[in-house]
Amino acid sequence: SFDLTQPPSVSVSPGQTAIITCSGDQLGSKFVSWYQQKPGQSPVVVVYHDTERPSGVPERFSGSNSGSTATLTISGTQAMDEAVYYCQAPDSDTSVLFGGGTKLTVL
Amino acid sequence: QVRLQESGPRLAKPSETLSLTCAVSDGSVSSGVYYWSWIRQPAGKGPEWVGHISSSGTTDYNPSLRSRVTISVDTSKNQFSLSLSLLTAADTAVYYCARGSYCRGGSCHASFVWFDPWGQGSQVTVSS
């Protein structure tokens, strides 16, 4: 079956660029969304349709998707960006899948 | 800005049926091209999509849960509901309701779906 694979953790220094990946078979042919979840809170979308950013999401969040890997990039990472990030994509025309999550630590 | 709020029991017994409701405010379940969705998240794990219902009443379910899940909508109360039967401990999770958007550039398709906003979540524990 189709799976979305994310690294369990990524660490970055404040002000540096964080890159979080999401891998899946032919993922580039699907639209990927990314969610940020802080402890005790609900997930919040930061990128949808591979590259689109909802209003209110800082410009430092960007996304890309090609081949079998989608990428969430956080430029100039801030302490407030520390969270778990999940990717999401369609599993089929009628089903949805989430990745296992990547914990971003801002050292 | 539409808001969603889950309600229902926090504790359920194995083999019973769980019923949760999501109240929608500052928006309508019968307007627009949205999927009204249920997503659950076991502690320490990623979210798991449970299923959704469209504004027109069409439903889709996670294949792994399809035999036990029913999602319905009550337009008069502006809410939608989840029913999950034959509960086991594996169903213990935080249950979220969320609005799914599935249009892009004038085209609408389930494969375009993304979720915003999400409710605050409702912790459900299945235990005897």
Side-chain angles (χ1 to χ4, degrees):
Chain A
S1 63
F2 181 67
D3 288 318
L4 296 176
T5 301
Q6 299 182 237
S9 62
V10 168
S11 298
V12 65
S13 299
Q16 299 303 303
T17 297
I19 297 176
I20 299 173
T21 59
C22 175
S23 299
D25 186 36
Q26 299 183 19
L27 188 58
S29 65
K30 304 174 186 286
F31 282 114
V32 174
S33 301
W34 291 91
Y35 301 85
Q36 176 193 69
Q37 186 176 34
K38 296 182 178 180
Q41 298 183 18
S42 305
V44 175
V45 63
V46 292
V47 168
Y48 67 96
H49 291 170
D50 295 339
T51 60
E52 302 296 320
R53 196 174 50 248
S55 60
V57 173
E59 291 184 6
R60 63 180 180 271
F61 289 88
S62 63
S64 63
N65 185 17
S66 179
S68 61
T69 303
T71 300
L72 174 68
T73 301
I74 309 173
S75 304
T77 306
Q78 300 182 10
M80 68 172 63
D81 300 329
E82 189 164 283
V84 179
Y85 291 84
Y86 297 98
C87 59
Q88 169 250 309
D91 187 12
S92 67
D93 282 356
T94 57
S95 189
V96 177
L97 198 59
F98 288 87
T102 298
K103 179 174 174 54
L104 176 66
T105 301
V106 182
L107 300 171
Chain B
Q1 175 76 345
V2 65
R3 291 177 296 146
L4 290 78
Q5 177 68 59
E6 305 89 348
S7 62
R10 289 186 168 272
L11 183 63
K13 289 182 166 48
S15 80
E16 291 187 341
T17 297
L18 172 69
S19 294
L20 296 174
T21 296
C22 181
V24 178
S25 56
D26 298 322
S28 172
V29 294
S30 55
S31 68
V33 284
Y34 296 114
Y35 282 139
W36 302 98
S37 310
W38 287 98
I39 300 164
R40 69 182 186 179
Q41 186 174 29
K45 295 186 178 182
E48 178 184 33
W49 178 76
V50 175
H52 59 213
I53 187 165
S54 71
S55 302
S56 61
T58 302
T59 53
D60 291 305
Y61 302 126
N62 186 318
S64 68
L65 300 171
R66 183 174 291 132
S67 63
R68 301 193 291 127
V69 174
T70 301
I71 296 175
S72 58
V73 64
D74 187 337
T75 56
S76 67
K77 295 182 178 179
N78 208 33
Q79 64 186 32
F80 60 105
S81 300
L82 168 70
S83 176
L84 181 64
S85 64
L86 299 175
L87 293 171
T88 70
D91 295 311
T92 294
V94 176
Y95 284 75
Y96 296 98
C97 57
R99 186 182 70 175
S101 298
Y102 66 102
C103 294
R104 170 181 169 87
S107 298
C108 297
H109 191 274
S111 63
F112 298 163
V113 71
W114 55 287
F115 301 101
D116 179 65
W118 297 50
Q120 67 181 32
S122 180
Q123 172 68 52
V124 175
T125 300
V126 180
S127 174
S128 55

